Amino acid sequence: QVQLVESGGGLVQAGGSLRLSCAASGSIFSINAMGWYRQAPGKQRELVAAITSGGSTNYADSVKGRFTISRDNAKNTVYLQMNSLKPEDTAVYYCNADIRRYGSTSYVYAYWGQGTQVTVSS
């Protein structure tokens, strides 16, 4: 069993900052890429940022220069530092991780967190 638990969402004024965390736990052999997605009301879920196990990163154009993704491989945790937040960043943010489990290391499974609400007021 593997779980992803997110924390750090909340309400912030435009221009403010938030830091999201997502910790993976359970029968984890290794974690490949980890990432953050978001879904605003009435819109499709979209990739915000991703990071490989080696530290290479990828960002959506809309957050480049404002958001920073990082990870602590020893803690199986990924972070999203969000600065200069805008009302259009309001969404539920989901953590994602591609994980190999003990007992089935040949396969990579995609896991999702439960989501955390980020609301940016104007």
Side-chain angles (χ1 to χ4, degrees):
Q1 188 78 354
V2 173
Q3 284 187 322
L4 301 184
V5 178
E6 300 145 345
S7 60
L11 173 64
V12 65
Q13 289 188 331
S17 298
L18 284 173
R19 188 191 194 211
L20 305 183
S21 300
C22 172
S25 63
S27 185
I28 297 171
F29 176 77
S30 66
I31 302 179
N32 294 352
M34 303 183 81
W36 289 95
Y37 290 72
R38 67 187 180 187
Q39 187 167 19
K43 295 188 177 181
Q44 289 189 334
R45 190 174 297 190
E46 63 175 357
L47 174 69
V48 176
I51 184 168
T52 67
S53 57
S56 296
T57 58
N58 182 43
Y59 295 93
D61 288 342
S62 59
V63 307
K64 283 181 180 177
R66 301 188 297 121
F67 291 9
T68 302
I69 190 170
S70 61
R71 64 189 283 175
D72 185 332
N73 290 330
K75 295 181 179 180
N76 290 336
T77 299
V78 63
Y79 306 96
L80 186 68
Q81 178 66 44
M82 305 185 293
N83 298 328
S84 302
L85 282 160
K86 304 176 181 180
E88 51 263 45
D89 294 318
T90 295
V92 178
Y93 284 70
Y94 297 91
C95 170
N96 168 267
D98 294 332
I99 294 174
R100 296 182 189 272
R101 303 189 314 225
Y102 283 109
S104 60
T105 56
S106 298
Y107 300 95
V108 178
Y109 299 90
Y111 287 92
W112 292 88
Q114 78 282 2
T116 186
Q117 177 71 45
V118 171
T119 303
V120 184
S121 63
S122 57

